[in-house]
Amino acid sequence: MKALRGPLGYCVFPRLCLTGFKYAQPFLIARTISFINTPQQPDDIGWGLTAAYGFVFLGRAVASGSYYHMVYRFITSLRGSLVGSIYSKTVDLSITALDESAAVTLMSTDTETICLAFVQVHEMWAVPIEIGLALWLLHQQLGSAFLAAAMVATIGIFTTIWLSRFMGTAQKRWIQAIQTRVDHTASMLGSMKAVKMLGFTDILASMVQALRVSELNLSGLFRRLTCIRVFLGNSMLLLGPLATFTAYVIVANLTGTKLDTAKAYTSLSLIALLADPLTIMIAFIPQLVGAMACFSRIQAFLQSESRRDHRLSLDYPAEGGCTGSTNEHDIELEAMPQTAAVSWQIRTGPALMEVQNASFAWTVGGQPVVQDVSFTIKRYDFTFIIGPVGSGKSTLFKGLLGETPSSQGFVYSGCFQAAYAEQTSWIRNGTIQQNILGVSSFEEPWYTTVVHACALDQDILDFPKGHSTLVGSAGISLSGGQKQRLAIARAVYSRQSLVMLDDVFSGLDASTEENIFNRLLGTQGLLRRNHVTVILVTHAVSRLPYADHIISFNSTGHITEQGTFGYLRNTDGYLHSLATKHKGEEEIAGGDRPVPQTRAHENTVPQLTAAEINRPVGDLAVYKYYFRSVGWLQTLLFLILAVVFGVSNGMTQLLLTYWTDAVAVHGNSANSYYLGMYGLLAGISTLGLMGAAWQFLINMLPKSAELLHKSLLQTVMAAPLSYFTATETGEITNRFSQDMSIVDMEIPYALIDLVLSAVMCITGAVLMCLSAGYFAAVMPPILLMMWVLQKYYLRTSQQMRILELEAKTPLYSHFIESLSGLCTIRAFGWAADFEDKNLTLLDNSQKPYYLLLCIQRWIALILDLMVGVLAVLLMSLIVKLRNEISAGYVGLALLNVMTFNESLAYIIKCWTNLETSIGAISRLKTFVEQTATENLAVEAQPVPENWPMHGVIEFRNVSASYTANSDLVIRHLNMSIAAGQKIGICGRSGSGKSSLITVLFRMLEVTPDSSITIDDIDITTLPRQEVRARLNAIPQEPFFTKNTVRENADPTHQHPDDAIILALQKVSLWRLVLEKGGLDTVLDAEYFSHGQRQLFCLARAILRKSKVVVLDEATSSVDALSDELMQRVIRTEFADCTVLAVAHRLDTILDFDRVALLAAGELVEFDAPGALLGRQSRFRELYLS
């Protein structure tokens, strides 16, 4: 805020001018009524008053426009400062303090809340001045009766301050409930393939919808308090005149003074002026409290723990220093056979990194995961790290990168940057080429070399746009192996002198792994030739002979042994217990051509649809869709109550004319009757307002919000797999977060404000026409001008809003990607580059944001000037017709014209807000109506209760594709599987292994002549969800909900705790779960290593009984001993089941009954493993590779 004191201060002078012009109006009203009551005064005075009205309204328009222009410049600067500061802190944040959902909320919701509140920040000092000025002027008119208005204002303000504490607490509970629902939804949407495969769609849909209902119930208190705030905000408008005139009548009866027209309408204008700042203050106080809470959260975030790089520099620095990346002059490309090679600058020094008695934990002072380790990483050496699942290998990597806290010991490094590839590949939402380049510049020879070395050249040829193919959020359109190879390519292309690879070969088939390993890490590999230091975590024991140094960990995080392969092989340690087979370095020629993956959209960046961009303003179909979710009778009742409020409030102003006339004739004896009538109308108006607010916020909103969310959820859960591979997860999540927030928080208030302001504006126009009949002739041109203005303004505003949303998308996507890849970004030394990109994206998003505010100022200025013209016309009529119009009607007309510009501007503003917000309903309607469903009408046959009873599976001429009109990924496949057989499915990456599994789970579309039967029942005639629920699956990507361990292990609640504990014991996880808190603890996937997550999924499969068990590369992320445990459990627990297992480790399926080898989506070989190995076969070639 200190940096923005200048822009903040520029707003003060125009705000003071605005106050001056506003409070000149009551004096003009009083003088005009005096002019009407004094016929002998010349018309020149009237024309002078007309000019004064023109000057005041023009001055008010200019002052208001200048003030808000300055305010919006300040707001735009504030937004830029906050977003920039939050991102700068994010790239410096400790990963132990990182809360991704909270950080995203700070950058989006909290920043927007602050900007929205600070539009009115100058009202903090201006409102007290205006209230004091209005009360003083009211005292001049009514004497001590002004105290009644002061009391109403005081009660309203202090009650709002007291109420804001409860509203803040209620809103916090509501937002927490929203965040919980969105977190669960995002977790589910990010793993929809696993969710469908596991048959969890119905379970999770019920869970998420229950969270939505709970969220709406929790929001009930906030909405009830909002109704009270609506009453307090309008208390001066509704009850201020009643209280003031009641006090005046009491004083008049004691003193004998009379209420005349000038006093009445001047006082009413002052009360109207008093109501305006009071309403602003009452609305602003909760906003300010919320903004201060947001500031506090942002400040706490900015003051949270930064990354503490505990690494120390080696005493013998590298020649020329090692910043982690050589510059372009350090590298020369040399002509070599078939490929280009890179020559890194040779650096001297005995070691690149030394670790002495170091321990690493995930929290400061927490239990170390890696304990008391000491080793040396020599320059240019290949160091391999091995150990069982959960032994701390990945934690060690984070410690070597300075990410996890070091509780003891020292890490000395000669290179503080490294090319780092995580176990879970970090893929950005961009093209293949952009992911490989990172922030590096493009050099074609080197790029081609890296692509070939990482075996990506064939895949790129198969992609729709080659190197320019978009990969989607987190690489959703890529296979697991492709994502890992992309991460490896990025690491190699960066030319860092230190490369750290965390088990990056686990998702690759044998031949692809062999090719990449030889091209990069073999004796003539790219990294070996160019003197790169490599640290590799691996479970592939056959690769250990390539290592210069091996470090072995045990399950407690200690180093049990280290040394060369030859030395450790002859000791009685962990490595000796592993069966190691040294694979040769012969390049595997050719291989099966990968199946091109068909995508529904080539461009997976979220785009607003043409229907949304060209949606007609005021599209009745959209409003009809929304009100249908509410109910027509409920909507009609709301409209009736709103009309009652507007008409009765207008009638109080009209009644004042008759009251003053009656007092002039009958004296103060008329006061009691008219005061009673005034009180009755004010009471009816209050009940109408409160009834309308209660009807909409308490009765209509929850029903609509629940039904719209349910409709959206059902559509998403029924969408085919192709939709999720072609659509960003963030785009779908946005429908459940931002669009649902709009349904809950923006549409109701915009609609209520529009209806109430429209009713009041129409009432005011009628009263002005009643006052001066000829003025009615002005209304058609005014209405025409209003129609033209709204037509062009709303369309322009809508398009600018769309541009703003489009500009925000890459900014938020960049922020989310930075959060997910924080360790990788810092390891590469790219933090400064990513900050620069964030500032560029921020600047791009600021342009439409600011221009949208400018457009809003433009329409407000036009309306202010238009009402100024109306005031001049009205005064002209009054001067001309002064003998035909009573003073009461003049006061009534001038009172309404005084507030008419604000009413018109507010209508346009509310209409714009509603049109912008209703876009969420339009998107929802379009999505529900146009999103394809995977469930077909023919898939409705009943399913036998105990099906499948045996597990006999028959594939007959099966051909399948992602969509009905896309290329086939499975071609004419025939395969018969007997009950209880164990089938291994293998083939190179992209051969169709996972596609075959997804066909069985009905996630791909089969051709009409295809047939898949299980126990003689054609599954293409059964409901898909029912098929998935009856099969047992362990997906490649482990899936967990954000619930307890019990809920994750047994989501159907069919097993007692003893059975769950026994299943966890069988996979050796119960001890770890017990340490974390037992079955009732909330399962955080970060508690487990990747291998342990797979073991947990195996425990879940043990509990879920089925005669058909499908394993989709279930052992890809586990070490040899854990793999042995999983294989043993699979063979004992599923001994009488039919098992289909996709495998990259072919040793694990040698004892299976049959092996199915696929290539290009076709079944090439199907026989016993021994028979295939005993003859020349593709399986034999794959096994020996």
Side-chain angles (χ1 to χ4, degrees):
M1 292 296 294
K2 290 182 179 179
L4 299 175
R5 282 180 295 187
L8 188 62
Y10 295 151
C11 307
V12 174
F13 178 71
R15 184 65 183 86
L16 289 172
C17 293
L18 181 60
T19 298
F21 285 118
K22 282 172 63 176
Y23 282 85
Q25 293 174 102
F27 293 101
L28 290 176
I29 292 176
R31 186 66 185 87
T32 302
I33 293 175
S34 174
F35 169 72
I36 295 298
N37 284 330
T38 313
Q40 61 270 25
Q41 290 187 1
D43 287 351
D44 290 346
I45 294 176
W47 295 120
L49 287 171
T50 303
Y53 267 100
F55 174 74
V56 167
F57 275 86
L58 176 64
R60 180 174 177 177
V62 173
S64 176
S66 176
Y67 166 64
Y68 280 105
H69 176 66
M70 296 294 184
V71 167
Y72 289 149
R73 287 175 64 90
F74 163 71
I75 291 300
T76 306
S77 301
L78 177 62
R79 177 177 180 263
S81 300
L82 290 173
V83 172
S85 299
I86 291 170
Y87 188 86
S88 296
K89 177 62 181 182
T90 298
V91 295
D92 188 46
L93 197 64
S94 168
I95 60 170
T96 60
L98 179 63
D99 183 344
E100 290 190 20
S101 60
V104 173
T105 301
L106 291 175
M107 193 174 193
S108 55
T109 305
D110 284 3
T111 299
E112 295 296 333
T113 300
I114 290 170
C115 291
L116 182 64
F118 269 60
V119 170
Q120 306 290 348
V121 68
H122 285 280
E123 304 306 316
M124 285 192 299
W125 60 265
V127 164
I129 292 175
E130 290 192 355
I131 289 176
L133 187 59
L135 290 174
W136 178 75
L137 293 173
L138 200 58
H139 174 261
Q140 297 298 109
Q141 291 292 325
L142 301 179
S144 57
F146 88 98
L147 293 174
M151 186 175 297
V152 172
T154 303
I155 292 173
I157 291 174
F158 283 99
T159 305
T160 302
I161 294 173
W162 174 77
L163 193 67
S164 64
R165 296 182 301 168
F166 300 100
M167 291 192 71
T169 303
Q171 188 175 31
K172 184 177 180 181
R173 290 174 58 196
W174 182 17
I175 291 175
Q176 286 175 342
I178 292 174
Q179 188 167 331
T180 299
R181 173 181 60 81
V182 173
D183 284 349
H184 279 77
T185 306
S187 174
M188 173 187 74
L189 294 175
S191 304
M192 279 305 294
K193 181 178 179 181
V195 169
K196 287 180 177 290
M197 184 178 289
L198 290 165
F200 285 176
T201 50
D202 289 347
I203 296 171
L204 293 178
S206 299
M207 181 191 75
V208 172
Q209 185 64 21
L211 288 173
R212 175 64 167 171
V213 173
S214 174
E215 165 202 326
L216 292 171
N217 291 336
L218 281 173
S219 71
L221 175 60
F222 178 79
R223 287 182 278 112
R224 286 190 289 271
L225 293 174
T226 300
C227 290
I228 298 174
R229 197 187 76 182
V230 168
F231 168 73
L232 294 172
N234 291 276
S235 58
M236 182 56 67
L237 178 66
L238 297 170
L239 303 180
L242 177 63
T244 303
F245 289 134
T246 300
Y248 184 80
V249 167
I250 294 173
V251 173
N253 289 335
L254 296 175
T255 61
T257 56
K258 293 182 180 180
L259 182 67
D260 58 32
T261 304
K263 280 185 179 180
Y265 282 102
T266 302
S267 300
L268 208 56
S269 67
L270 287 168
I271 292 172
L273 289 175
L274 180 61
D276 185 39
L278 186 64
T279 302
I280 291 173
M281 178 63 78
I282 289 176
F284 176 63
I285 289 172
Q287 287 183 336
L288 182 63
V289 171
M292 290 299 103
C294 293
F295 265 126
S296 298
R297 285 193 291 272
I298 292 175
Q299 183 174 357
F301 176 77
L302 296 177
Q303 293 176 341
S304 60
E305 183 183 358
S306 295
R307 176 197 181 206
R308 297 179 182 176
D309 194 344
H310 51 75
R311 297 174 294 176
L312 303 174
S313 179
L314 282 170
D315 292 334
Y316 31 83
E319 203 175 274
C322 178
T323 60
S325 179
T326 58
N327 60 46
E328 60 184 9
H329 302 296
D330 293 331
I331 298 167
E332 296 178 356
L333 297 175
E334 299 175 358
M336 287 195 170
Q338 297 180 345
T339 183
V342 178
S343 177
W344 266 262
Q345 180 185 18
I346 306 298
R347 294 182 174 84
T348 61
L352 184 67
M353 192 177 295
E354 289 186 3
V355 180
Q356 298 178 3
N357 305 110
S359 295
F360 302 112
W362 282 96
T363 56
V364 177
Q367 177 66 31
V369 179
V370 176
Q371 304 187 51
D372 195 26
V373 297
S374 299
F375 56 87
T376 298
I377 304 295
K378 293 184 178 180
R379 292 185 186 276
Y380 325 131
D381 272 7
F382 286 8
T383 302
F384 287 11
I385 299 173
I386 61 174
V389 166
S391 58
K393 302 181 293 296
S394 296
T395 304
L396 173 67
F397 260 36
K398 297 291 195 302
L400 297 181
L401 292 170
E403 295 288 349
T404 51
S406 175
S407 55
Q408 71 171 44
F410 302 95
V411 177
Y412 298 96
S413 180
C415 196
F416 286 86
Q417 293 178 8
Y420 175 50
E422 294 189 75
Q423 193 170 8
T424 300
S425 303
W426 177 61
I427 305 298
R428 299 168 62 192
N429 182 17
T431 64
I432 296 289
Q433 186 178 95
Q434 288 170 345
N435 273 280
I436 295 175
L437 297 184
V439 302
S440 306
S441 58
F442 176 71
E443 297 178 25
E444 187 172 356
W446 178 232
Y447 178 83
T448 304
T449 300
V450 172
V451 167
H452 174 73
C454 297
L456 281 168
D457 33 14
Q458 186 61 61
D459 297 86
I460 290 173
L461 287 174
D462 290 329
F463 287 141
K465 290 188 176 181
H467 302 277
S468 300
T469 300
L470 291 163
V471 300
S473 293
I476 190 171
S477 62
L478 303 178
S479 69
Q482 287 169 334
K483 286 189 278 189
Q484 287 187 329
R485 283 181 280 153
L486 206 56
I488 297 170
R490 178 174 57 219
V492 177
Y493 187 87
S494 67
R495 293 167 167 155
Q496 302 278 5
S497 58
L498 172 63
V499 174
M500 301 176 68
L501 307 174
D502 189 0
D503 197 19
V504 293
F505 298 106
S506 60
L508 306 180
D509 62 88
S511 64
T512 305
E513 178 190 349
E514 180 73 15
N515 283 340
I516 296 175
F517 204 95
N518 288 337
R519 293 172 186 175
L520 291 178
L521 302 171
T523 55
Q524 293 299 314
L526 191 61
L527 299 179
R528 179 75 76 175
R529 287 200 311 268
N530 293 290
H531 309 287
V532 180
T533 307
V534 177
I535 308 175
L536 171 68
V537 168
T538 183
H539 294 304
V541 295
S542 61
R543 305 300 178 187
L544 297 181
Y546 290 94
D548 299 304
H549 189 72
I550 298 172
I551 302 174
S552 175
F553 279 78
N554 62 13
S555 59
T556 62
H558 291 86
I559 293 178
T560 56
E561 55 183 353
Q562 58 179 311
T564 64
F565 175 75
Y567 169 75
L568 296 180
R569 184 172 54 180
N570 296 322
T571 61
D572 190 19
Y574 178 75
L575 188 141
H576 182 74
S577 67
L578 303 175
T580 59
K581 180 180 69 171
H582 184 192
K583 296 200 174 191
E585 295 191 28
E586 294 80 10
E587 180 100 355
I588 306 301
D592 296 323
R593 180 183 176 86
V595 178
Q597 294 192 4
T598 303
R599 297 162 185 80
H601 303 286
E602 290 182 352
N603 188 343
T604 60
V605 175
Q607 299 289 337
L608 290 160
T609 64
E612 171 60 17
I613 293 175
N614 298 310
R615 179 177 63 84
V617 173
D619 188 354
L620 293 179
V622 176
Y623 286 95
K624 184 178 179 182
Y625 183 84
Y626 177 70
F627 286 118
R628 190 187 300 123
S629 70
V630 174
W632 294 110
L633 289 177
Q634 299 276 14
T635 303
L636 180 61
L637 178 58
F638 163 70
L639 293 175
I640 290 173
L641 290 169
V643 170
V644 167
F645 156 71
V647 172
S648 56
N649 184 65
M651 291 296 291
T652 59
Q653 300 175 20
L654 183 62
L655 180 68
L656 202 57
T657 299
Y658 296 99
W659 188 352
T660 54
D661 289 344
V663 169
V665 176
H666 302 290
N668 286 339
S669 61
N671 283 340
S672 299
Y673 172 78
Y674 282 99
L675 181 62
M677 290 295 294
Y678 198 98
L680 176 64
L681 290 173
I684 293 173
S685 178
T686 302
L687 290 175
L689 176 64
M690 293 302 297
W694 186 274
Q695 169 67 6
F696 202 103
L697 295 177
I698 306 302
N699 296 332
M700 295 168 64
L701 190 153
K703 180 181 178 182
S704 170
E706 181 180 344
L707 289 177
L708 292 174
H709 181 271
K710 185 177 183 180
S711 177
L712 172 63
L713 183 62
Q714 289 175 341
T715 304
V716 168
M717 300 308 278
L721 182 64
S722 58
Y723 172 77
F724 297 98
T725 59
T727 309
E728 277 198 76
T729 303
E731 183 180 347
I732 309 172
T733 305
N734 191 54
R735 298 183 183 277
F736 288 92
S737 55
Q738 181 172 316
D739 283 0
M740 285 298 108
S741 294
I742 290 173
V743 169
D744 297 345
M745 302 178 185
E746 295 187 22
I747 291 178
Y749 301 107
L751 189 57
I752 291 173
D753 288 345
L754 175 64
V755 171
L756 296 180
S757 60
V759 169
M760 291 189 66
C761 189
I762 292 171
T763 304
V766 170
L767 291 175
M768 283 190 290
C769 293
L770 284 175
S771 305
Y774 291 105
F775 188 73
V778 181
M779 295 314 294
I782 293 296
L783 291 175
L784 178 63
M785 187 173 180
M786 286 287 294
W787 180 83
V788 172
L789 279 176
Q790 68 86 25
K791 180 177 177 62
Y792 288 99
Y793 168 69
L794 288 181
R795 174 60 68 188
T796 306
S797 177
Q798 187 182 68
Q799 296 299 316
M800 191 58 67
R801 174 63 173 167
I802 290 171
L803 290 175
E804 184 201 5
L805 292 174
E806 288 182 336
K808 276 183 180 179
T809 297
L811 176 67
Y812 290 167
S813 296
H814 178 69
F815 185 68
I816 293 170
E817 286 177 354
S818 300
L819 285 169
S820 62
L822 202 53
C823 291
T824 303
I825 293 169
R826 291 198 291 230
F828 276 90
W830 291 347
D833 297 283
F834 271 67
E835 281 196 65
D836 290 342
K837 182 175 182 181
N838 178 72
L839 291 176
T840 301
L841 294 172
L842 176 59
D843 287 343
N844 292 337
S845 75
Q846 289 281 68
K847 295 173 185 176
Y849 178 83
Y850 178 66
L851 289 175
L852 182 60
L853 296 177
C854 290
I855 291 172
Q856 293 172 1
R857 264 301 84 212
W858 173 82
I859 189 67
L861 178 63
I862 295 298
L863 291 172
D864 285 344
L865 293 174
M866 186 177 73
V867 173
V869 173
L870 280 179
V872 171
L873 289 174
L874 182 60
M875 274 302 299
S876 300
L877 287 172
I878 289 172
V879 173
K880 280 293 187 181
L881 305 173
R882 59 186 295 194
N883 297 322
E884 301 176 21
I885 305 175
S886 70
Y889 280 112
V890 169
L892 181 63
L894 293 176
L895 174 66
N896 280 279
V897 81
M898 187 181 78
T899 57
F900 196 59
N901 64 326
E902 293 179 359
S903 298
L904 290 177
Y906 199 59
I907 285 177
I908 294 288
K909 179 183 177 182
C910 294
W911 179 235
T912 304
N913 291 340
L914 182 60
E915 273 295 307
T916 301
S917 302
I918 210 72
I921 303 297
S922 176
R923 289 190 294 273
L924 175 61
K925 177 177 179 291
T926 302
F927 178 78
V928 170
E929 292 175 351
Q930 297 184 4
T931 301
T933 177
E934 64 175 357
N935 302 310
L936 305 179
V938 297
E939 301 169 351
Q941 296 297 318
V943 183
E945 184 177 350
N946 295 322
W947 179 87
M949 296 183 63
H950 308 290
V952 178
I953 305 174
E954 185 80 25
F955 294 88
R956 297 192 190 97
N957 195 34
V958 175
S959 296
S961 58
Y962 284 94
T963 63
N965 300 320
S966 59
D967 296 336
L968 296 176
V969 293
I970 296 293
R971 296 179 174 85
H972 311 296
L973 187 142
N974 291 278
M975 185 165 55
S976 297
I977 303 171
Q981 278 193 327
K982 309 297 184 286
I983 308 298
I985 303 172
C986 59
R988 79 175 299 274
S989 179
S991 60
K993 305 183 296 296
S994 294
S995 297
L996 176 59
I997 297 301
T998 53
V999 167
L1000 184 62
F1001 283 92
R1002 301 290 288 113
M1003 287 187 281
L1004 297 185
E1005 301 304 318
V1006 297
T1007 55
D1009 57 340
S1010 301
S1011 173
I1012 308 172
T1013 62
I1014 300 179
D1015 288 352
D1016 298 323
I1017 295 179
D1018 190 346
I1019 65 173
T1020 61
T1021 64
L1022 304 179
R1024 301 191 184 200
Q1025 169 58 23
E1026 193 65 34
V1027 172
R1028 297 162 188 164
R1030 298 296 184 94
L1031 306 182
N1032 199 351
I1034 304 179
Q1036 182 179 6
E1037 297 292 335
F1039 171 73
F1040 303 104
T1041 61
K1042 295 191 175 184
N1043 280 320
T1044 63
V1045 172
R1046 181 185 292 103
E1047 292 279 348
N1048 276 278
D1050 181 27
T1052 57
H1053 308 98
Q1054 293 181 349
H1055 301 279
D1057 288 355
D1058 291 343
I1060 298 174
I1061 293 171
L1062 180 61
L1064 292 172
Q1065 287 174 338
K1066 289 178 179 179
V1067 297
S1068 302
L1069 282 182
W1070 173 240
R1071 181 177 177 183
L1072 177 61
V1073 170
L1074 198 59
E1075 290 175 357
K1076 300 297 182 182
L1079 298 179
D1080 291 317
T1081 190
V1082 176
L1083 193 150
D1084 186 345
E1086 298 302 322
Y1087 289 161
F1088 297 140
S1089 69
H1090 284 259
Q1092 288 168 335
R1093 295 173 198 173
Q1094 288 287 22
L1095 290 171
F1096 190 95
C1097 291
L1098 179 58
R1100 181 164 58 198
I1102 293 173
L1103 292 168
R1104 185 177 177 179
K1105 305 298 182 183
S1106 174
K1107 285 295 183 180
V1108 178
V1109 180
V1110 180
L1111 313 174
D1112 188 5
E1113 300 183 28
T1115 64
S1116 60
S1117 297
V1118 299
D1119 62 279
L1121 294 180
S1122 298
D1123 188 13
E1124 182 182 339
L1125 169 63
M1126 292 185 72
Q1127 299 300 335
R1128 184 170 62 251
V1129 171
I1130 290 169
R1131 283 155 179 76
T1132 55
E1133 295 296 323
F1134 307 130
D1136 59 342
C1137 300
T1138 302
V1139 176
L1140 283 74
V1142 174
H1144 282 154
R1145 297 177 181 176
L1146 302 184
D1147 289 331
T1148 62
I1149 59 174
L1150 291 182
D1151 62 339
F1152 276 28
D1153 297 302
R1154 284 177 173 254
V1155 168
L1157 189 141
L1158 277 73
E1162 298 179 358
L1163 182 63
V1164 178
E1165 296 173 347
F1166 186 58
D1167 205 343
L1172 292 174
L1173 290 175
R1175 65 173 187 263
Q1176 286 297 324
S1177 64
R1178 290 201 184 187
F1179 178 71
R1180 176 187 172 91
E1181 293 176 5
L1182 191 63
Y1183 181 76
L1184 295 177
S1185 63

